[in-house]
Amino acid sequence: MTSYAIPGYERIKTENHFNYTEDQLGEKKLALKTMSDLYPDVPKLWAEWVYDLCKNEEIDKLQEIMEKVEQIPSRFVAEPNESYEMEIIDAEESLTLKNENNEKKE
C-alpha cells in the first residue's frame, strides 16, 4: 500500500503521555488484548485508563483508591428501591417551543 504525504494532512500520531518505550508499548498492547479477551464488555478506552493507572501509580495509592471504592458509595449508583421517572418529550412540540423562545429573544 502506498501512502502519500499531503501538506496539512499529516498522519495522526498516537499520544504517548507516559513516555513508554517501544517495549513498554508492546507490553501495553498485549495487556490490552488480553483484557479485551477476558472482559469483552469493557470499553477499550476504560481498559487503557486502568492499564495506565495501574502501571504508573504507586501500589499504596492504588490500595487507597480500591479501599475508597469499597467503602464510600458512589453518588451515581441508585439505592435499592430508588427509581427515576423519565419524561417523554414530543419532538414537534419541543421544536415549536424552541422556535417561540428564539422569536422572543429577537
Side-chain angles (χ1 to χ4, degrees), residues 55-98:
K55 191 74 172 174
N56 295 293
E57 274 301 333
E58 298 292 326
I59 296 295
D60 297 337
K61 181 69 175 171
L62 290 174
Q63 290 293 338
E64 182 181 316
I65 292 169
M66 288 187 276
E67 288 173 11
K68 181 179 175 186
V69 167
E70 290 293 325
Q71 294 172 359
I72 301 173
S74 172
R75 62 188 174 128
F76 301 107
V77 176
E79 297 294 323
N81 300 322
E82 181 180 14
S83 65
Y84 297 99
E85 292 182 15
M86 296 183 72
E87 180 181 351
I88 297 174
I89 299 173
D90 180 21
E92 291 297 321
E93 184 179 323
S94 178
L95 289 174
T96 304
L97 290 174
K98 182 178 180 183

Short mmCIF file of all heavy atoms in Angstrom, two decimals, residues 55-98:
data_model
loop_
_atom_site.label_atom_id
_atom_site.label_comp_id
_atom_site.label_asym_id
_atom_site.label_seq_id
_atom_site.Cartn_x
_atom_site.Cartn_y
_atom_site.Cartn_z
N LYS A 55 -0.14 0.93 35.93
CA LYS A 55 1.27 0.92 35.54
C LYS A 55 2.03 2.13 36.10
O LYS A 55 3.22 2.03 36.38
CB LYS A 55 1.35 0.91 34.00
CG LYS A 55 2.71 0.63 33.46
CD LYS A 55 3.05 -0.81 33.63
CE LYS A 55 4.35 -1.12 32.91
NZ LYS A 55 4.79 -2.46 33.15
N ASN A 56 1.33 3.25 36.31
CA ASN A 56 2.03 4.49 36.66
C ASN A 56 1.76 5.00 38.07
O ASN A 56 2.31 6.03 38.44
CB ASN A 56 1.65 5.58 35.64
CG ASN A 56 2.16 5.23 34.26
OD1 ASN A 56 3.34 5.19 34.02
ND2 ASN A 56 1.24 4.94 33.35
N GLU A 57 0.92 4.34 38.83
CA GLU A 57 0.67 4.75 40.21
C GLU A 57 1.41 3.84 41.18
O GLU A 57 1.66 2.68 40.89
CB GLU A 57 -0.83 4.68 40.54
CG GLU A 57 -1.63 5.88 40.19
CD GLU A 57 -1.21 7.18 40.86
OE1 GLU A 57 -0.63 7.17 41.96
OE2 GLU A 57 -1.45 8.22 40.24
N GLU A 58 1.70 4.40 42.32
CA GLU A 58 2.32 3.61 43.40
C GLU A 58 1.29 2.62 43.95
O GLU A 58 0.09 2.89 43.94
CB GLU A 58 2.79 4.54 44.52
CG GLU A 58 3.85 5.53 44.09
CD GLU A 58 5.17 4.86 43.74
OE1 GLU A 58 5.50 3.85 44.38
OE2 GLU A 58 5.84 5.35 42.83
N ILE A 59 1.78 1.50 44.44
CA ILE A 59 0.90 0.45 45.00
C ILE A 59 0.06 1.00 46.14
O ILE A 59 -1.13 0.70 46.25
CB ILE A 59 1.74 -0.76 45.49
CG1 ILE A 59 2.45 -1.42 44.31
CG2 ILE A 59 0.88 -1.77 46.23
CD1 ILE A 59 1.54 -2.07 43.30
N ASP A 60 0.65 1.84 46.99
CA ASP A 60 -0.09 2.41 48.13
C ASP A 60 -1.28 3.24 47.65
O ASP A 60 -2.38 3.17 48.21
CB ASP A 60 0.83 3.27 48.99
CG ASP A 60 1.97 2.46 49.61
OD1 ASP A 60 1.81 1.23 49.76
OD2 ASP A 60 3.00 3.07 49.95
N LYS A 61 -1.05 4.03 46.63
CA LYS A 61 -2.11 4.88 46.09
C LYS A 61 -3.22 4.02 45.47
O LYS A 61 -4.40 4.31 45.65
CB LYS A 61 -1.53 5.84 45.03
CG LYS A 61 -2.53 6.76 44.43
CD LYS A 61 -3.03 7.79 45.40
CE LYS A 61 -3.94 8.78 44.66
NZ LYS A 61 -4.62 9.68 45.54
N LEU A 62 -2.84 2.94 44.79
CA LEU A 62 -3.84 2.03 44.22
C LEU A 62 -4.67 1.37 45.31
O LEU A 62 -5.89 1.25 45.19
CB LEU A 62 -3.17 0.97 43.35
CG LEU A 62 -2.57 1.45 42.03
CD1 LEU A 62 -1.82 0.31 41.36
CD2 LEU A 62 -3.63 2.00 41.12
N GLN A 63 -4.01 0.95 46.39
CA GLN A 63 -4.72 0.34 47.53
C GLN A 63 -5.71 1.34 48.12
O GLN A 63 -6.84 0.99 48.45
CB GLN A 63 -3.73 -0.13 48.60
CG GLN A 63 -2.91 -1.32 48.21
CD GLN A 63 -3.74 -2.58 48.06
OE1 GLN A 63 -4.83 -2.69 48.60
NE2 GLN A 63 -3.23 -3.53 47.30
N GLU A 64 -5.28 2.59 48.23
CA GLU A 64 -6.14 3.64 48.78
C GLU A 64 -7.37 3.86 47.89
O GLU A 64 -8.49 3.98 48.39
CB GLU A 64 -5.33 4.94 48.87
CG GLU A 64 -6.05 6.11 49.47
CD GLU A 64 -5.17 7.34 49.48
OE1 GLU A 64 -3.98 7.25 49.82
OE2 GLU A 64 -5.69 8.42 49.11
N ILE A 65 -7.17 3.86 46.60
CA ILE A 65 -8.29 4.02 45.66
C ILE A 65 -9.25 2.84 45.77
O ILE A 65 -10.48 3.02 45.82
CB ILE A 65 -7.77 4.16 44.21
CG1 ILE A 65 -7.03 5.49 44.05
CG2 ILE A 65 -8.91 4.05 43.21
CD1 ILE A 65 -6.26 5.62 42.74
N MET A 66 -8.72 1.62 45.84
CA MET A 66 -9.58 0.43 45.94
C MET A 66 -10.37 0.42 47.24
O MET A 66 -11.56 0.08 47.25
CB MET A 66 -8.73 -0.83 45.81
CG MET A 66 -8.23 -1.06 44.40
SD MET A 66 -7.41 -2.65 44.17
CE MET A 66 -5.76 -2.25 44.72
N GLU A 67 -9.74 0.83 48.34
CA GLU A 67 -10.45 0.90 49.62
C GLU A 67 -11.56 1.94 49.56
O GLU A 67 -12.66 1.72 50.07
CB GLU A 67 -9.48 1.22 50.75
CG GLU A 67 -8.56 0.07 51.10
CD GLU A 67 -7.48 0.45 52.10
OE1 GLU A 67 -7.55 1.56 52.68
OE2 GLU A 67 -6.55 -0.35 52.29
N LYS A 68 -11.27 3.08 48.95
CA LYS A 68 -12.27 4.14 48.83
C LYS A 68 -13.48 3.66 48.03
O LYS A 68 -14.62 3.92 48.40
CB LYS A 68 -11.65 5.37 48.16
CG LYS A 68 -12.59 6.53 48.01
CD LYS A 68 -11.91 7.71 47.36
CE LYS A 68 -12.90 8.83 47.10
NZ LYS A 68 -12.33 9.93 46.34
N VAL A 69 -13.23 2.94 46.94
CA VAL A 69 -14.32 2.42 46.11
C VAL A 69 -15.18 1.44 46.91
O VAL A 69 -16.40 1.43 46.79
CB VAL A 69 -13.76 1.75 44.84
CG1 VAL A 69 -14.82 0.95 44.12
CG2 VAL A 69 -13.16 2.80 43.92
N GLU A 70 -14.54 0.63 47.74
CA GLU A 70 -15.28 -0.35 48.54
C GLU A 70 -16.06 0.29 49.67
O GLU A 70 -17.14 -0.18 50.03
CB GLU A 70 -14.30 -1.40 49.11
CG GLU A 70 -13.73 -2.32 48.07
CD GLU A 70 -14.76 -3.24 47.46
OE1 GLU A 70 -15.68 -3.67 48.17
OE2 GLU A 70 -14.65 -3.51 46.26
N GLN A 71 -15.54 1.36 50.27
CA GLN A 71 -16.13 1.92 51.48
C GLN A 71 -17.12 3.06 51.22
O GLN A 71 -18.12 3.18 51.92
CB GLN A 71 -15.03 2.43 52.42
CG GLN A 71 -14.17 1.31 52.95
CD GLN A 71 -12.97 1.81 53.73
OE1 GLN A 71 -12.75 3.01 53.85
NE2 GLN A 71 -12.18 0.88 54.25
N ILE A 72 -16.82 3.91 50.27
CA ILE A 72 -17.66 5.09 50.04
C ILE A 72 -18.58 4.83 48.86
O ILE A 72 -18.11 4.58 47.75
CB ILE A 72 -16.78 6.34 49.76
CG1 ILE A 72 -15.86 6.60 50.95
CG2 ILE A 72 -17.65 7.54 49.46
CD1 ILE A 72 -14.85 7.69 50.72
N PRO A 73 -19.89 4.88 49.09
CA PRO A 73 -20.82 4.61 47.99
C PRO A 73 -20.75 5.72 46.94
O PRO A 73 -20.57 6.89 47.24
CB PRO A 73 -22.19 4.57 48.67
CG PRO A 73 -22.02 5.29 49.95
CD PRO A 73 -20.58 5.18 50.33
N SER A 74 -20.91 5.33 45.71
CA SER A 74 -20.89 6.28 44.61
C SER A 74 -22.18 7.08 44.60
O SER A 74 -23.26 6.55 44.86
CB SER A 74 -20.72 5.56 43.28
OG SER A 74 -20.88 6.46 42.22
N ARG A 75 -22.09 8.35 44.27
CA ARG A 75 -23.30 9.15 44.18
C ARG A 75 -24.04 8.90 42.87
O ARG A 75 -25.13 9.42 42.66
CB ARG A 75 -22.98 10.63 44.34
CG ARG A 75 -22.09 11.17 43.27
CD ARG A 75 -21.66 12.60 43.59
NE ARG A 75 -20.69 13.05 42.63
CZ ARG A 75 -20.79 14.17 41.96
NH1 ARG A 75 -21.79 14.98 42.19
NH2 ARG A 75 -19.88 14.52 41.10
N PHE A 76 -23.46 8.11 41.99
CA PHE A 76 -24.06 7.85 40.69
C PHE A 76 -24.79 6.51 40.64
O PHE A 76 -25.30 6.15 39.60
CB PHE A 76 -22.99 7.89 39.59
CG PHE A 76 -22.29 9.21 39.52
CD1 PHE A 76 -21.00 9.35 39.96
CD2 PHE A 76 -22.95 10.33 39.04
CE1 PHE A 76 -20.36 10.58 39.90
CE2 PHE A 76 -22.33 11.55 38.98
CZ PHE A 76 -21.02 11.68 39.41
N VAL A 77 -24.83 5.79 41.74
CA VAL A 77 -25.48 4.48 41.77
C VAL A 77 -26.80 4.62 42.53
O VAL A 77 -26.84 5.18 43.62
CB VAL A 77 -24.58 3.43 42.47
CG1 VAL A 77 -25.29 2.10 42.58
CG2 VAL A 77 -23.27 3.30 41.71
N ALA A 78 -27.87 4.13 41.95
CA ALA A 78 -29.18 4.21 42.59
C ALA A 78 -29.23 3.29 43.81
O ALA A 78 -28.63 2.22 43.82
CB ALA A 78 -30.27 3.81 41.60
N GLU A 79 -29.91 3.75 44.83
CA GLU A 79 -30.11 2.95 46.03
C GLU A 79 -31.19 1.90 45.75
O GLU A 79 -31.98 2.05 44.81
CB GLU A 79 -30.56 3.85 47.18
CG GLU A 79 -29.53 4.89 47.59
CD GLU A 79 -28.28 4.27 48.20
OE1 GLU A 79 -28.41 3.27 48.93
OE2 GLU A 79 -27.18 4.78 47.92
N PRO A 80 -31.26 0.83 46.59
CA PRO A 80 -32.32 -0.15 46.38
C PRO A 80 -33.70 0.52 46.46
O PRO A 80 -33.91 1.42 47.27
CB PRO A 80 -32.13 -1.13 47.55
CG PRO A 80 -30.70 -0.99 47.91
CD PRO A 80 -30.34 0.45 47.64
N ASN A 81 -34.60 0.12 45.60
CA ASN A 81 -35.97 0.65 45.50
C ASN A 81 -36.03 2.10 45.03
O ASN A 81 -37.07 2.73 45.11
CB ASN A 81 -36.72 0.50 46.83
CG ASN A 81 -36.84 -0.94 47.25
OD1 ASN A 81 -37.05 -1.81 46.41
ND2 ASN A 81 -36.70 -1.20 48.54
N GLU A 82 -34.94 2.65 44.58
CA GLU A 82 -34.93 4.01 44.07
C GLU A 82 -35.15 3.94 42.56
O GLU A 82 -34.57 3.11 41.88
CB GLU A 82 -33.58 4.67 44.36
CG GLU A 82 -33.47 6.09 43.88
CD GLU A 82 -32.12 6.71 44.20
OE1 GLU A 82 -31.18 5.97 44.55
OE2 GLU A 82 -32.01 7.92 44.09
N SER A 83 -36.01 4.79 42.06
CA SER A 83 -36.26 4.79 40.62
C SER A 83 -36.29 6.23 40.12
O SER A 83 -36.46 7.17 40.89
CB SER A 83 -37.57 4.09 40.30
OG SER A 83 -38.65 4.82 40.85
N TYR A 84 -36.14 6.36 38.85
CA TYR A 84 -36.15 7.68 38.23
C TYR A 84 -37.26 7.70 37.20
O TYR A 84 -37.47 6.74 36.48
CB TYR A 84 -34.81 7.95 37.54
CG TYR A 84 -33.65 7.99 38.49
CD1 TYR A 84 -32.83 6.88 38.66
CD2 TYR A 84 -33.39 9.11 39.25
CE1 TYR A 84 -31.77 6.90 39.54
CE2 TYR A 84 -32.33 9.14 40.13
CZ TYR A 84 -31.53 8.04 40.27
OH TYR A 84 -30.49 8.07 41.15
N GLU A 85 -37.97 8.82 37.16
CA GLU A 85 -39.02 8.96 36.16
C GLU A 85 -38.45 9.73 34.98
O GLU A 85 -37.72 10.70 35.16
CB GLU A 85 -40.20 9.73 36.75
CG GLU A 85 -40.93 8.94 37.82
CD GLU A 85 -42.13 9.71 38.35
OE1 GLU A 85 -42.55 10.70 37.71
OE2 GLU A 85 -42.64 9.32 39.39
N MET A 86 -38.80 9.27 33.81
CA MET A 86 -38.35 9.95 32.61
C MET A 86 -39.55 10.54 31.91
O MET A 86 -40.58 9.90 31.78
CB MET A 86 -37.60 8.98 31.70
CG MET A 86 -36.34 8.45 32.32
SD MET A 86 -35.45 7.37 31.20
CE MET A 86 -34.82 8.58 30.06
N GLU A 87 -39.40 11.77 31.46
CA GLU A 87 -40.48 12.44 30.76
C GLU A 87 -40.30 12.20 29.26
O GLU A 87 -39.21 12.34 28.73
CB GLU A 87 -40.41 13.94 31.05
CG GLU A 87 -41.48 14.75 30.39
CD GLU A 87 -41.35 16.22 30.70
OE1 GLU A 87 -40.53 16.59 31.56
OE2 GLU A 87 -42.06 17.00 30.07
N ILE A 88 -41.37 11.83 28.61
CA ILE A 88 -41.32 11.62 27.17
C ILE A 88 -41.65 12.97 26.52
O ILE A 88 -42.68 13.57 26.79
CB ILE A 88 -42.30 10.53 26.71
CG1 ILE A 88 -41.91 9.20 27.35
CG2 ILE A 88 -42.34 10.44 25.19
CD1 ILE A 88 -42.86 8.08 27.09
N ILE A 89 -40.75 13.43 25.67
CA ILE A 89 -40.91 14.74 25.05
C ILE A 89 -41.31 14.54 23.60
O ILE A 89 -40.69 13.77 22.87
CB ILE A 89 -39.59 15.53 25.13
CG1 ILE A 89 -39.22 15.74 26.60
CG2 ILE A 89 -39.70 16.85 24.41
CD1 ILE A 89 -37.85 16.36 26.79
N ASP A 90 -42.34 15.28 23.20
CA ASP A 90 -42.76 15.26 21.80
C ASP A 90 -41.80 16.14 21.01
O ASP A 90 -41.63 17.32 21.30
CB ASP A 90 -44.20 15.77 21.70
CG ASP A 90 -44.70 15.78 20.26
OD1 ASP A 90 -44.14 15.04 19.43
OD2 ASP A 90 -45.67 16.51 19.99
N ALA A 91 -41.16 15.57 20.00
CA ALA A 91 -40.15 16.31 19.24
C ALA A 91 -40.73 17.54 18.56
O ALA A 91 -40.13 18.60 18.56
CB ALA A 91 -39.50 15.39 18.21
N GLU A 92 -41.93 17.41 17.98
CA GLU A 92 -42.55 18.56 17.30
C GLU A 92 -42.84 19.68 18.29
O GLU A 92 -42.60 20.84 18.02
CB GLU A 92 -43.84 18.12 16.59
CG GLU A 92 -43.60 17.21 15.41
CD GLU A 92 -42.81 17.90 14.31
OE1 GLU A 92 -43.02 19.09 14.05
OE2 GLU A 92 -41.95 17.23 13.72
N GLU A 93 -43.37 19.31 19.44
CA GLU A 93 -43.68 20.31 20.47
C GLU A 93 -42.40 20.99 20.97
O GLU A 93 -42.36 22.19 21.18
CB GLU A 93 -44.41 19.63 21.64
CG GLU A 93 -44.86 20.59 22.71
CD GLU A 93 -45.59 19.86 23.83
OE1 GLU A 93 -46.33 18.91 23.55
OE2 GLU A 93 -45.40 20.26 24.99
N SER A 94 -41.36 20.21 21.12
CA SER A 94 -40.08 20.75 21.56
C SER A 94 -39.53 21.77 20.56
O SER A 94 -39.05 22.83 20.95
CB SER A 94 -39.07 19.62 21.75
OG SER A 94 -37.83 20.12 22.14
N LEU A 95 -39.62 21.45 19.27
CA LEU A 95 -39.15 22.38 18.23
C LEU A 95 -39.99 23.65 18.21
O LEU A 95 -39.48 24.75 18.03
CB LEU A 95 -39.16 21.71 16.86
CG LEU A 95 -38.11 20.62 16.65
CD1 LEU A 95 -38.33 19.94 15.31
CD2 LEU A 95 -36.72 21.22 16.71
N THR A 96 -41.30 23.51 18.41
CA THR A 96 -42.18 24.67 18.43
C THR A 96 -41.81 25.60 19.58
O THR A 96 -41.71 26.81 19.42
CB THR A 96 -43.66 24.22 18.57
OG1 THR A 96 -43.96 23.31 17.51
CG2 THR A 96 -44.60 25.41 18.52
N LEU A 97 -41.59 25.02 20.77
CA LEU A 97 -41.20 25.83 21.93
C LEU A 97 -39.86 26.51 21.69
O LEU A 97 -39.66 27.66 22.05
CB LEU A 97 -41.15 24.96 23.19
CG LEU A 97 -42.49 24.48 23.72
CD1 LEU A 97 -42.27 23.51 24.88
CD2 LEU A 97 -43.34 25.66 24.17
N LYS A 98 -38.93 25.81 21.06
CA LYS A 98 -37.62 26.38 20.79
C LYS A 98 -37.75 27.57 19.84
O LYS A 98 -37.14 28.61 20.04
CB LYS A 98 -36.69 25.32 20.19
CG LYS A 98 -35.30 25.80 19.93
CD LYS A 98 -34.42 24.69 19.39
CE LYS A 98 -33.02 25.23 19.14
NZ LYS A 98 -32.16 24.22 18.57
#
